[in-house]
Amino acid sequence: AEEQLPSTDLITLTRHVLAEQFRLGSAATGDLTLLLTAIQVTSKFIATNVRKARLINLVGLAGETNVQGEEQKKLDVLSNDIMVNALRASGKTAVLVSEELDDAIIIEEKLRGKYCVVFDPLDGSSNIDAGVNIGTIFGIYQIQEGSEGVVADVLRPGHEMVAAGYTMYGSSANLVLSTGNGVNGYTLDASLGEFILTHPNIQIPSRGKIYSFNEGNSMYFHEPTTNYLNSIKFPAAGKSPYSARYIGSMVADVHRTLLYGGIFGYPGDKKSKNGKLRLLYEAFPMAFLTEQAGGLATTGTGRILDIVPTSIHERCPVFLGSKDDVEDLLKFYQTPSETE
Ligand code: P6P
């Protein structure tokens, strides 16, 4: 085949987001574009640190000293510092919530902007030492009318977010983003230092063949979860069972679900009423992306994006993925079972 000429029409994340801004017309001030540019820079910085983590002994527990004899920072603490500093410096944020920080950060007046960012700077970080894919997850609210930045600005349903995304650090750095008009995936070209559009308009298949649950929790599962899983593991005659794929890193499990279809779940169970995943900066952004890609995201008894948070670190049960697969699951949750 003739040599494939490199495209001269590289669509970088910045260019693509700008096009989105122009599509919105005068309503868009360019602030979100600049905020997303700041987030993009943090992803490049974190990717670099994750990539060389093992080489410069960056992983391991805080308190150790690294080769330079400096006080060792865990990679997730370092990633948090990178994000807080960049988001504050952008001048576009008013409230920040991080998985790493007990309390919300209210940005000082001179640097205050009109967006609130909730994020997990390095989700799945318990997997770092094994070289498993990990990621940054973020969601963005516009500050409420007349507010100068209070925690209440982020205690709002996920459907009020204006954007959500994640960056997965694996064989390459993949940034997946929605600003409310579909989902697009970008791959970091490290030589250019640019995220290039590689997965335009991601649409999750209406049904998949993969389920992604931690079945080590099976003894705690409520009956509807168990009955649903049995329905795809021991299907009716003539149907093939689903495959099991569970990485234990939400960004990696959700990324595969968006691209291949199927269902990801971290249910509420007898041991953990609301499951393990955090509502604000894990469930909401991933539910936002899943719905924007044509899928569904539910707690089993309600749409995740309709939940009104009461605290910034609360958890919620999560089932998300292909529309038909999640609807199959909901049938088991909507049939009141005698033991519930
Ligand atoms: P378990 C990682 O620690 C995390 O927060 C998510 O990234 C992941 O989906 C989940 O926890 C894995 O939890 O209990 O299956 O190890």
Side-chain angles (χ1 to χ4, degrees), residues 17-31 33 114-115:
V17 167
L18 262 175
E20 180 62 12
Q21 175 190 325
F22 297 149
R23 187 182 68 82
L24 292 172
S26 56
T29 60
D31 284 354
T33 299
K114 66 182 187 186
Y115 291 106

Side-chain angles (χ1 to χ4, degrees), residues 123-124 126-127 214 217 246 248-250 264 266 276-277 282:
D123 184 81
S126 56
N127 294 296
N214 180 349
N217 295 325
Y246 191 73
S249 179
M250 188 184 197
F264 168 81
Y266 207 108
K276 173 183 182 183
L277 298 176
E282 286 179 313

Side-chain angles (χ1 to χ4, degrees), residues 17-335:
V17 167
L18 262 175
E20 180 62 12
Q21 175 190 325
F22 297 149
R23 187 182 68 82
L24 292 172
S26 56
T29 60
D31 284 354
L32 183 61
T33 299
L34 287 170
L35 175 59
L36 290 170
T37 302
I39 290 175
Q40 178 181 177
V41 170
T42 63
S43 287
K44 291 184 213 175
F45 197 153
I46 294 169
T48 306
N49 289 328
V50 168
R51 196 104 21 254
K52 65 189 179 193
R54 298 249 24 110
L55 298 174
I56 58 168
N57 186 25
L58 250 181
V59 295
L61 302 175
E64 290 170 8
T65 54
N66 61 14
V67 287
Q68 291 84 351
E70 292 152 1
E71 172 61 25
Q72 186 57 57
K73 272 186 178 169
K74 279 179 66 175
L75 209 46
D76 44 10
V77 172
L78 183 69
S79 301
N80 179 67
D81 294 351
I82 290 167
M83 287 199 73
V84 168
N85 293 337
L87 291 171
R88 168 182 281 123
S90 76
K92 302 300 172 194
T93 63
V95 182
L96 304 180
V97 169
S98 169
E99 190 268 348
E100 290 288 332
L101 300 172
D102 291 344
D103 301 317
I105 293 179
I106 307 299
I107 299 296
E108 60 274 27
E109 188 177 357
K110 67 178 180 359
L111 278 172
R112 184 177 303 142
K114 66 182 187 186
Y115 291 106
C116 306
V117 186
V118 296
F119 58 95
D120 187 343
L122 205 56
D123 184 81
S125 51
S126 56
N127 294 296
I128 295 177
D129 293 6
V132 170
N133 285 14
I134 51 182
T136 298
I137 309 173
F138 60 90
I140 302 173
Y141 293 95
Q142 187 150 337
I143 201 168
Q144 292 174 113
E145 202 59 43
S147 169
E148 296 193 341
V150 289
V151 174
D153 283 313
V154 296
L155 295 180
R156 291 151 63 192
H159 65 70
E160 292 186 19
M161 286 185 172
V162 293
Y166 61 79
T167 302
M168 181 172 73
Y169 309 107
S171 49
S172 58
N174 289 284
L175 194 155
V176 174
L177 173 71
S178 173
T179 55
N181 181 37
V183 181
N184 293 292
Y186 308 84
T187 303
L188 180 61
D189 178 332
S191 64
L192 286 178
E194 290 286 359
F195 279 98
I196 306 297
L197 180 66
T198 48
H199 297 72
N201 190 25
I202 294 174
Q203 294 284 317
I204 188 168
S206 59
R207 179 177 288 280
K209 302 185 179 72
I210 295 170
Y211 72 99
S212 187
F213 287 63
N214 180 349
E215 292 194 86
N217 295 325
S218 294
M219 71 180 280
Y220 306 116
F221 284 165
H222 290 308
E223 200 173 341
T225 308
T226 304
N227 292 343
Y228 168 68
L229 289 173
N230 285 337
S231 77
I232 54 176
K233 290 160 74 174
F234 308 94
K239 285 196 169 184
S240 307
Y242 276 38
S243 288
R245 291 286 184 277
Y246 191 73
I247 300 168
S249 179
M250 188 184 197
V251 173
D253 281 317
V254 170
H255 189 66
R256 184 207 51 249
T257 303
L258 284 180
L259 296 184
Y260 292 1
I263 185 167
F264 168 81
Y266 207 108
D269 61 26
K270 295 164 191 161
K271 184 178 67 162
S272 315
K273 177 173 171 297
N274 287 320
K276 173 183 182 183
L277 298 176
R278 306 286 182 172
L279 174 59
L280 226 46
Y281 40 78
E282 286 179 313
F284 273 169
M286 294 314 203
F288 187 102
L289 290 166
T290 301
E291 290 196 4
Q292 283 288 321
L296 292 177
T298 177
T299 62
T301 54
R303 183 187 180 218
I304 288 177
L305 289 181
D306 288 342
I307 298 174
V308 180
T310 52
S311 73
I312 59 175
H313 295 298
E314 73 183 65
R315 303 171 196 268
C316 87
V318 174
F319 300 101
L320 62 79
S322 295
K323 184 173 174 299
D324 294 355
D325 289 311
V326 175
E327 283 176 349
D328 286 352
L329 170 107
L330 283 169
K331 288 178 191 129
F332 290 88
Y333 268 85
Q334 274 142 12
T335 317

